[in-house]
Amino acid sequence: MGVVVRYQHYLMQAEGMSKQDAYTQATNEFYKVRAREEMENKIARQEAVFYGARMLEKPFSTSQAKVERSQMSRNKKLFEVRQKEQHIRNVAATGKTFAAGV
């Protein structure tokens, strides 16, 4: 049974409403809730895009997942290179400090 029909049944039983009145109220409330949820989702998507999110055309696109894996791999390599560079700078700075103290 659908949500509207179950709620209609509840209104008929608990509130003593007629079948038509219960259905009208149930559908009206359902559409209000649905409209609010759609508006909340729209606002959430807009905020996400504003903060840099990229929306996928298909939620579970295999080609998109492949692109993301490739980007993550590239980012990991870049992170490792930058860590090595930072380590070299730290070692060089430490060496200069000892050389200056001698």
Side-chain angles (χ1 to χ4, degrees), residues 11 29 49 77:
L11 291 173
E29 290 182 27
V49 168
K77 290 175 186 174

Side-chain angles (χ1 to χ4, degrees), residues 54 56 59-78:
R54 293 177 301 150
L56 301 176
F60 300 105
S61 168
T62 54
S63 61
Q64 182 66 27
K66 184 178 179 182
V67 169
E68 288 181 5
R69 277 192 300 274
S70 171
Q71 289 174 342
M72 288 173 54
S73 175
R74 195 173 338 130
N75 289 342
K76 182 179 178 185
K77 290 175 186 174
L78 181 61

